[in-house]
Amino acid sequence: MNETIKRLYVTGYQSYELGIFNEKDPRVQVIKNVLKRELTALIENGLEWVMISGNLGTEAWTGQVINELKVDYPELRLAIIFPFENFGSNWKEQNRLILSELVQRADFVESVSHQPYQNPGQFKNHVSFLLEHTDAALVVYDTEYPGKSKFFLGDVEKYQLKNSYDLLTITMDDLENSSELGDSV
């Protein structure tokens, strides 16, 4: 593990992959509590920037947690790095509102591609950018419950062959244990 993680990319399950279709679902708070605990430990060890891509679920919840943590850690910064222009513009209104609120409160917002979606290569370039501009990734993911993040994890493994890059995970067991303990961070 790198001595200090200053720039962290956080990703993981999208809300639909967890069967969560309402922000009031009690599982959202469990996930946020675990994210808050993990992020707080990293902040206290020198974390300065958290990057997300703006996906619903883990990334949006991370953005919300970062904004809560800024009360105690005002130096903490949130960057939203979209894969392409107009990301999320075709989402349902409620989901666009969640993204819009994150964008308004982020410290930095940019797209890797300055074109609307054109091809899967934009996602590949996006992942390359994130890996090159962060020290580590925190992924809410469990290999027993596959999801879209398995592709990102494969890219991380290839990147780690030639680069120093930390991969931190929050598994279903971590979430379950937190839920059973009634964690409230």
Side-chain angles (χ1 to χ4, degrees):
M1 188 155 136
N2 288 324
E3 243 175 72
T4 301
I5 296 171
K6 293 196 176 290
R7 300 166 304 156
L8 178 74
Y9 175 54
V10 182
T11 191
Y13 293 108
Q14 294 186 35
S15 45
Y16 74 87
E17 291 178 299
L18 297 169
I20 296 175
F21 301 100
N22 180 334
E23 291 294 306
K24 293 186 183 355
D25 187 309
R27 294 174 293 172
V28 172
Q29 194 57 52
V30 170
I31 294 167
K32 283 181 163 184
N33 288 346
V34 174
L35 284 166
K36 186 179 259 185
R37 183 182 66 222
E38 296 297 319
L39 290 166
T40 299
L42 290 166
I43 293 164
E44 291 178 356
N45 284 313
L47 180 65
E48 297 172 359
W49 279 92
V50 173
M51 293 184 199
I52 59 173
S53 302
N55 286 310
L56 297 174
T58 300
E59 294 188 20
W61 300 324
T62 297
Q64 294 163 354
V65 166
I66 293 301
N67 287 323
E68 292 170 18
L69 286 169
K70 283 183 175 188
V71 171
D72 294 321
Y73 303 97
E75 68 283 0
L76 184 62
R77 299 289 176 252
L78 174 65
I80 303 175
I81 309 295
F82 296 117
F84 49 83
E85 287 290 325
N86 300 323
F87 181 85
S89 63
N90 60 342
W91 293 354
K92 292 179 184 175
E93 184 178 348
Q94 180 59 33
N95 295 338
R96 286 194 317 263
L97 181 61
I98 291 168
L99 185 59
S100 174
E101 288 172 1
L102 287 173
V103 166
Q104 289 173 16
R105 297 188 66 191
D107 298 287
F108 183 80
V109 179
E110 184 60 88
S111 299
V112 174
S113 168
H114 293 113
Q115 302 293 320
Y117 178 77
Q118 295 175 331
N119 60 63
Q122 290 168 296
F123 289 111
K124 186 175 179 70
N125 293 340
H126 179 249
V127 169
S128 294
F129 178 90
L130 292 168
L131 291 172
E132 292 167 10
H133 290 87
T134 56
D135 307 310
L138 173 61
V139 185
V140 178
Y141 191 77
D142 195 310
T143 55
E144 291 185 38
Y145 304 94
K148 290 177 85 174
S149 294
K150 70 180 174 187
F151 301 109
F152 175 72
L153 292 172
D155 291 334
V156 169
E157 288 173 7
K158 288 178 200 160
Y159 189 76
Q160 287 175 319
L161 294 174
K162 296 181 181 178
N163 302 279
S164 174
Y165 194 83
D166 292 326
L167 177 61
L168 313 170
T169 57
I170 295 172
T171 65
M172 288 298 182
D173 283 345
D174 296 330
L175 295 173
E176 185 67 30
N177 292 338
S178 177
S179 173
E180 289 172 3
L181 294 172
D183 265 6
S184 57
V185 176

